[in-house]
């Protein structure tokens, strides 16, 4: 934790505002992100987030790359859930080029994105506890379940985190028999783990003391700052893109959207736990109804072997997906050539981060770190 | 087996006595027990670091250090060598004298406290008749050494950490002393040996007031040692590493040693006063003492493996608004328990304590978790 | 008592003299408070010495010392509170 | 057993010397923090003296109250009133010479008187054992009134200190 | 119920986990760390790491024809190919230089998809380290060449499927050769 401290020394004991910046090294495990804080004693007076340390020029590269070439780059956007990033890129291009996705591919896509939602929410609650000071135990319980799901991703797509599994018009490999069995096994074991996880955390007095009524986000501020995802739903606003857009085949599944009431750190934590239970419901239904059939649209067959001469028609398209962190969208303008003319990613973490100051002012230093943990950002997506 | 160590010591003394004047023999007896402690102290510290890492690892479903030595048994030796060889950096404008003085003044009290612990029947280094007061006095001097560490390392955050640690230790000392009062009152004397003798047929922890006093004493001990739920002084997520930010190499090892020895002494004292010291059915007395102490140390490590950290104002609130009144009520209940007898004694005291607990939780409304309900949208 | 009484009395007078010197000479208010602590400790040593060797009932000296310690702590508390208030108003705690 | 008492005497004289040296340091050192630590040394030395005079309870109380609480107060005061690492300002005012002379004169006169007067040392008082329990009993029986008064005094001091040192002092005092 | 109950219940969970780690099997809550260097986890077949070039039987007749498609398709552009020319300057269907910079490659597997001649596939080799940045991690042609048997060993099902497909193409080509030669077929 790099500390550059400038002490405004005004002599009198009580007016000493301390200018700290919780530096880019490790503001408690959230990547390279700096918070410039002015402290009066323990309470935060002002907070300026400083980002851009992990900017890799993803959008410019995508404009000089074939369409399929930037699919592996989308894995690196929010490196915690690469499947949902691929999903949104595939959806945008399919909307652009009017490609019909076969049934089985759609089911596989839904299963994969719900599995990433489990991985993300379980790790985020773990890291939140880590910011609170629990010495890595919740994180390691979360990682035990995450390992099982990452093994499935490896078996299905070839890589644990950088899956590069979706293709325009379907998916790259088919879901083999024992992969399906492994997924059923994970999904059946997850609720038992979740109950134990909740027994460890939800009623824990210290967690309640540290999280309740801390960093309260009012629904009006959330809507005006276009916050999306669990943060928005924790403040009580009912907006889940799976229900609003009904993209892909989400309308076939019966699931509910949990909403909080107060909108503080505790609500954000608990809404994520409830969302995990809903995802499990979707997974069970999807695993039951998955049909046989081929996994790649007929229209895209010639481009499987020659991705470079895939030229979507002229035009623009924007598709969005309920990523675990919020509304993740990709906007593409194509000029008929195999390279997109304009490529832009709407990153939920970046937008959820803009209100960090309003949440943190007035709280203590310890709370600022916890609020940052509850906002759940991944720097790959914030800086792109 | 019970008097094993005492036997060894008397044998040694008689062997020495043959060719030495008797006053030199008494000096030697003091020396022998002193070296016994000087060996036992750092040894427990080394293996406590290993036990802690192994136990927390097992709680997290992983193995813990097992590369160095058979089951990782040589890990503390490896850590020790690493600490010795690490370069010892003193910050530029820091006060050299203070920077050196702090680790010494924190380890000395940690070792001095061992003198008063009754390891077994007849195995107390110095059975002072002000034993407990000696323990409190010595453990209160560590506040100064934390200040010296904070001020000596000339770093704004070390100072902030030191201020926080001292405020925490001072405010947790009061309920700690008050939670000891009922035990001393019933045992009738300050010396640890007498207290253990008073618990021959009934351990204090099994009496209602003893149980509450034990919990309060144990929580305050954990806070005094800056461990787990109260380890705000070295909260990595907030300020860097508290008062020992600027220390490295052997000086940091001394801080580390002091912390673990304090863990041992606090648990040992809790075992002595509330869990009947070395009383136990048929196993040798010193084995019972070590067993109880290590169980309490396991509970401390268990805290560390599970509980998140308290914020500074909640920490203070807990000490002044919850533990202190609870300890005062406990003193009254212990008096009532001592005076009365029979059924009304136990039920009266239990009822009184439970009522006090309820009233206090009601009074501390902002800290008690509130019920939360969540709606589910169907559309 | 292992050592004769006169030696202890000499020791406490020396301590007392150092305390007096400190109070007279020190510019810093806290320095003066420290010297006052020295004086009180010298007095306590005397009290305990007398109670151990000459007094009719041994406890009077010790009880007296007990109260002196308590009051000295109280005095230090109030003194330092005043020092803080003084520092806040006049920015320095030097007596001249 | 005489060798033991000889060693003990040696120890006590050494402790006396150390305490005096620490006292001189506490009074003359330039850096105030070092003075405070020297004072801590003096206090622990004095507690050692009590032990030498078989007053264990007093020694422990002295360490607990002085070293535990008063030293913390002093160090807090030093930290709040001094900027981190401010230069060492001259600590002694001009009358240091006169002060030394006055103190030396005081020592000479009192020392002379002390040395000559035949103190009525009673043998049985030296050997009588006086443990913490006797102290407790006398506190509760003969000296119970001062015990209660000291409680009230401490309570008053508690409130007084807080009111005086309160951070948001009334607007008038603030510049 | 009472104030500290949440904390106690949480602690019982960690205690249960601790006891389980001694007695249960890895699946239901037991200890699942595997001692890496001594005991290795079974590798998944589709696991993909750095690419490698396949040759049938001897390293000379490798399948790659230096058509440069994978170099164009590779997103981070880490493949570098120079065609081989025989003595009198006629281009050969073999690469003289085929370098892959492993520090740049991100194992995305697009070269495997884009290659029409089944020449480049993803390997399971991940324990690779180099002492300096450019030196040993820039793999040349001979470091990349691996036999078909190796391919069968690491990815049995895919290798078998590809081999059968190649046999059929071979058979079809033979069949075409037996019949009268048709006008030169368009680019395959």
């Amino acid at each position: 934790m790099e500390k550059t401290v400038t002490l405004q020394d005004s002599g009198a004991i009580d007016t000493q505002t301390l200018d700290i910046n919780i530096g880019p090294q490790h503001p408690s495990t959230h990547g390279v992100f700096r918070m410039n804080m002015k402290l009066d004693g323990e309470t935060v007076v002002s907070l300026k987030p400083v980002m851009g340390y992990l900017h890799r020029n993803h959008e410019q590269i995508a404009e000089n790359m074939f369409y399929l070439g930037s699919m592996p780059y989308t894995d690196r956007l929010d490196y915690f859930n690469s499947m949902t990033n691929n999903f949104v890129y595939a959806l945008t291009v399919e909307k652009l080029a009017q490609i019909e996705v076969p049934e089985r591919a759609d089911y596989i896509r839904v299963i994969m994105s719900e599995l990433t939602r489990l991985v993300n929410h379980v790790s985020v609650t773990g890291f939140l506890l880590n910011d609170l000071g629990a010495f890595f135990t919740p994180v390691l319980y979360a990682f035990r379940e995450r390992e099982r799901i990452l093994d499935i991703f490896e078996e299905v797509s070839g890589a644990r985190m950088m899956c590069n599994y979706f293709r325009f018009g379907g998916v790259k490999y088919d879901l083999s028999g024992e992969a399906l069995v492994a997924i059923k096994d994970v999904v059946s074991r997850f609720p038992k783990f979740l109950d134990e996880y909740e027994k460890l955390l939800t009623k824990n007095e210290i967690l309640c003391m540290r999280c309740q009524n801390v960093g309260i986000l009012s629904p009006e501020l959330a809507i005006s700052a276009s916050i999306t995802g669990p943060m928005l739903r924790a403040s009580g606003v009912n907006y889940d893109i799976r229900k609003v857009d009904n993209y892909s085949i989400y309308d076939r599944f019966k699931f509910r959207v949990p909403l909080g009431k107060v909108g503080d750190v505790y609500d954000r934590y608990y809404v994520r736990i409830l969302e995990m239970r809903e995802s499990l419901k979707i997974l069970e239904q999807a695993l039951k109804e998955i049909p046989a059939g081929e996994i790649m649209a007929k229209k895209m067959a010639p481009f499987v072997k020659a991705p470079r001469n895939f030229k979507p028609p002229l035009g623009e398209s924007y598709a969005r997906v309920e990523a675990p962190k919020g509304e993740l969208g990709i906007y593409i303008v194509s000029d008929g050539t195999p390279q997109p003319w304009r490529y832009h990613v709407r990153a939920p973490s970046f937008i959820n981060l803009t209100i960090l100051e309003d949440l943190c002012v007035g709280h203590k230093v310890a709370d600022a770190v916890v609020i940052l943990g509850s906002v759940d950002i991944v720097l790959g997506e914030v800086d792109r | 087996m019970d008097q094993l160590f005492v036997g060894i010591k008397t044998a040694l003394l008689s062997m020495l006595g043959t060719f030495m004047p008797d006053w030199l023999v008494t000096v030697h007896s003091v020396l022998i027990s002193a070296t016994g402690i000087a060996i036992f102290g750092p040894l427990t510290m080394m293996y406590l670091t290993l036990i802690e890492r192994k136990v927390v690892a097992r709680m997290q479903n992983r193995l813990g250090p097992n590369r160095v030595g058979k089951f990782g048994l040589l890990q503390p030796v490896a850590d020790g060598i690493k600490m010795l060889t690490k370069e010892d950096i003193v910050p530029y404008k820091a006060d050299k004298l203070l920077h050196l003085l702090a680790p010494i003044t924190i380890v000395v009290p940690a070792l001095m406290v061992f003198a008063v612990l009754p390891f077994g029947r007849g195995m107390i280094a110095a059975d002072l008749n002000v034993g407990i007061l000696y323990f409190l006095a010595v453990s209160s001097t560590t506040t100064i050494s934390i200040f010296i560490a904070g001020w000596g390392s000339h770093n704004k955050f070390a100072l902030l950490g030191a201020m926080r640690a001292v405020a925490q230790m001072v405010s947790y000392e009061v309920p700690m002393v008050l939670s000891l009062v009922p035990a001393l009152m019933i045992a009738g004397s300050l010396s640890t040996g007498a207290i253990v003798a008073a618990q021959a047929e009934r351990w204090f922890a099994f009496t209602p007031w003893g149980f509450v006093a034990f919990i309060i004493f144990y929580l305050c001990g954990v806070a005094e040692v800056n461990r787990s739920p109260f380890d705000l002084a070295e909260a990595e997520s907030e300020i860097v590493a508290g008062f020992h930010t600027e220390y490295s190499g052997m000086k940091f090892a001394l801080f580390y040693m002091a912390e673990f020895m304090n863990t041992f002494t606090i648990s040992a004292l809790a075992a002595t006063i509330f869990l009947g010291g070395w009383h136990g059915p048929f196993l040798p007395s010193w084995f019972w003492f070590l067993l109880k102490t290590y169980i309490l140390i396991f509970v401390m490590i268990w805290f560390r493996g599970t509980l998140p950290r308290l914020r500074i104002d909640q920490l203070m609130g807990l000490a002044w608004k919850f533990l202190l009144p609870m300890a005062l009520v406990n003193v009254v209940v212990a008096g009532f328990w001592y005076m009365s007898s029979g059924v009304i004694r136990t039920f009266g005291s239990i009822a009184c304590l439970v009522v006090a607990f309820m009233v206090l939780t009601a009074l501390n409304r902002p800290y008690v978790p509130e019920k939360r309900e969540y709606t589910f949208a169907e559309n | 008592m292992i050592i004769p009484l006169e030696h202890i009395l000499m020791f406490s007078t020396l301590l007392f003299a150092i305390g007096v010197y400190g109070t007279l000479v020190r510019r810093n208010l806290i320095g003066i408070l420290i010297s006052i602590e020295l004086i009180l400790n010298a007095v306590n040593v005397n009290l305990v010495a007398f109670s151990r060797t000459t007094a009719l009932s041994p406890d009077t000296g010790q009880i007296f010392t007990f109260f002196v310690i308590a009051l000295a702590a109280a005095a230090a508390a109030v003194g330092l509170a005043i020092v803080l208030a003084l520092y806040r108003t006049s920015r320095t705690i030097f007596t001249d | 057993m005489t060798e033991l008492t000889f060693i003990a005497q040696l120890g006590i004289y050494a402790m006396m010397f150390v305490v005096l040296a620490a006292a001189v340091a506490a009074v003359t050192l330039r850096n105030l923090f070092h003075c405070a630590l020297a004072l801590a040394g003096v206090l622990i030395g004095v507690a050692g003296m009590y032990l030498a005079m078989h007053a264990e309870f007093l020694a422990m109380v002295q360490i607990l109250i002085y070293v535990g609480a008063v030293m913390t107060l002093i160090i807090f005061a030093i930290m709040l009133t001094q900027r981190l690492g401010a230069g060492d300002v001259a600590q002694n005012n001009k009358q240091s010479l006169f002060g030394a002379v006055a103190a030396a004169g005081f020592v000479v006169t009192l020392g002379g008187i002390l040395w000559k007067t035949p103190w009525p040392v009673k043998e049985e008082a030296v050997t009588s054992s006086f443990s913490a329990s006797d102290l407790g009993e006398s506190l509760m029986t003969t000296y119970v009134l001062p015990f209660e008064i000291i409680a009230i005094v401490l309570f008053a001091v508690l409130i007084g200190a807080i009111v005086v040192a309160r951070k948001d002092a009334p607007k008038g005092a603030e510049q | 119920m009472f104030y500290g109950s949440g904390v106690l219940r949480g602690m019982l969970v960690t205690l249960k986990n601790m006891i389980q780690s001694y007695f249960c099997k890895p699946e239901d809550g037991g200890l699942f760390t595997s001692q890496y260097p001594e005991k290795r986890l079974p590798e998944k077949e589709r696991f993909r790491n750095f690419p490698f070039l396949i040759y049938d039987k001897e390293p000379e007749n490798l399948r790659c024809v230096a058509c440069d498609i994978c170099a164009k398709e590779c997103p981070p552009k880490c493949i570098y190919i120079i065609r081989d020319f025989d003595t009198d300057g006629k281009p050969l269907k073999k690469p003289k230089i085929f370098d892959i910079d492993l520090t740049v490659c991100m194992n995305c597997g697009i070269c495997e998809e884009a290659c029409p001649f089944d020449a480049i596939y993803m390997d399971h080799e991940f324990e690779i380290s180099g002492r300096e940045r450019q030196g040993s991690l820039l793999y040349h042609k001979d470091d990349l060449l691996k036999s078909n048997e190796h391919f069968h060993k690491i990815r049995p099902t895919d290798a078998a499927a590809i081999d059968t497909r190649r046999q059929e193409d071979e058979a079809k080509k033979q069949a075409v050769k037996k019949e009268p030669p048709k006008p030169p077929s368009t680019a395959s």
Side-chain angles (χ1 to χ4, degrees), chain B residues 4-64:
Chain B
L4 174 67
F5 294 102
V6 177
I8 294 172
K9 183 171 171 184
T10 36
L12 258 171
L13 284 180
S14 57
M15 192 260 288
L16 279 173
T18 48
F19 55 87
M20 230 188 278
D22 54 5
W23 63 273
L24 206 54
V25 169
T26 46
V27 166
H28 275 286
S29 84
V30 168
L31 275 182
I32 288 168
S33 36
T35 38
I37 289 177
I39 294 165
F40 180 72
L43 205 67
T44 45
M45 171 257 163
M46 276 163 57
Y47 279 95
L48 272 184
T49 51
L50 177 67
I51 290 169
E52 166 160 32
R53 286 175 64 181
K54 280 280 220 200
V55 163
V56 169
R58 280 288 171 176
M59 279 186 200
Q60 295 165 351
N61 274 314
R62 54 187 173 84
L63 267 179

Side-chain angles (χ1 to χ4, degrees), chain C residues 59 63, chain D residues 57 130-143:
Chain C
D59 55 6
I63 302 260
Chain D
F57 185 76
F130 178 76
S131 76
S133 43
D134 315 342
L135 190 80
E137 272 151 40
S138 57
L139 255 179
M140 279 303 140
T141 49
T142 49
Y143 294 93

Side-chain angles (χ1 to χ4, degrees), chain C residues 19-93:
Chain C
V20 163
Y21 168 75
T23 20
L24 294 177
V25 153
R26 265 312 210 190
R27 280 182 69 212
N28 187 330
L29 209 54
I30 300 179
I32 294 170
L33 269 175
I34 289 177
S35 334
I36 291 170
E37 294 300 325
L38 282 184
I39 296 170
L40 289 169
N41 274 314
V43 163
N44 283 350
V45 166
N46 255 354
L47 280 170
V48 171
F50 282 125
S51 81
R52 283 306 289 152
T53 52
T54 55
L56 27 91
S57 70
D59 55 6
T60 47
Q62 297 208 353
I63 302 260
F64 205 85
T65 326
F66 189 68
F67 288 134
V68 166
I69 290 179
L71 277 176
V78 170
L80 291 167
I82 294 166
V83 159
L84 283 186
L86 199 68
Y87 180 79
R88 188 174 306 112
T89 49
S90 67
R91 195 63 58 247
T92 160
I93 47 167

Side-chain angles (χ1 to χ4, degrees), chain D residues 25-111:
Chain D
V27 165
T28 52
L29 275 183
R30 299 183 61 76
N31 176 340
L32 205 57
F33 203 83
H34 291 187
C35 286
L37 294 186
L39 176 70
V42 168
L43 298 175
I44 294 174
V46 165
M49 289 297 290
Y50 293 155
L51 277 179
M53 295 186 250
H54 303 301
E56 294 92 3
F57 185 76
L58 263 187
M60 295 310 149
V61 161
Q62 153 105 347
I63 290 184
L64 188 63
I65 294 182
Y66 265 118
V67 178
V70 173
M71 278 317 293
T72 320
L73 266 175
I74 292 178
I75 290 178
F76 255 106
I78 292 175
M79 264 187 203
L80 287 175
T81 55
Q82 207 165 16
R83 274 175 289 294
L84 193 64
D88 294 343
V89 171
Q91 293 294 6
N92 300 357
N93 53 24
K94 285 167 295 304
Q95 318 122 339
S96 53
L97 197 59
F98 304 113
V101 164
F106 171 79
V107 161
V108 166
T109 45
L110 200 60

Side-chain angles (χ1 to χ4, degrees), chain A residues 1 3 5 18 20 42 131-137 140-141 144 200 204-206 208-210 212-213 238 243 256-262 264 266-267 270 274 278 364 366-367 369, chain B residues 52 56 59-62 156-157 160 164 229 231-232 236-240 304-314 318 366-379:
Chain A
M1 188 151 323
K3 282 289 174 309
V5 173
L18 209 56
I20 299 175
E42 282 281 330
D131 298 345
L132 284 168
F135 183 59
F136 263 99
T137 317
L140 280 161
Y141 289 162
R144 184 179 50 192
L200 175 68
N204 189 327
E205 269 79 9
I206 300 176
C208 298
M209 270 210 277
R210 284 291 299 275
Q212 287 187 341
N213 303 323
N238 173 13
K243 292 275 184 186
R256 308 178 307 177
V257 175
L259 300 173
K261 196 181 292 305
V262 177
D264 55 6
Y266 189 79
D267 272 0
Y270 201 64
L274 296 176
E278 297 308 318
K364 301 262 183 305
D367 295 335
V369 173
Chain B
E52 166 160 32
V56 169
M59 279 186 200
Q60 295 165 351
N61 274 314
R62 54 187 173 84
K156 196 66 192 166
F157 288 93
L160 205 63
R164 273 189 187 183
D231 58 356
L232 205 70
E236 308 78 21
S237 56
E238 289 123 38
I239 44 175
V240 179
R304 177 146 194 222
T306 345
L307 300 179
R309 193 175 292 125
L310 281 166
R311 214 181 34 213
I312 182 85
D313 51 341
Q314 292 158 350
L318 186 71
Y367 294 139
V368 177
E370 54 208 44
K371 287 285 156 288
R372 283 291 174 83
E373 67 288 336
Y374 295 88
T375 56
F376 286 89
E378 267 309 319
N379 61 350

Side-chain angles (χ1 to χ4, degrees), chain A residues 23 76 102 129 148 211 214 241 268 282 329 373:
Chain A
R76 274 114 177 127
L129 262 296
R148 293 210 178 90
C211 291
V214 165
I241 297 165
R268 288 186 212 114
I282 299 176

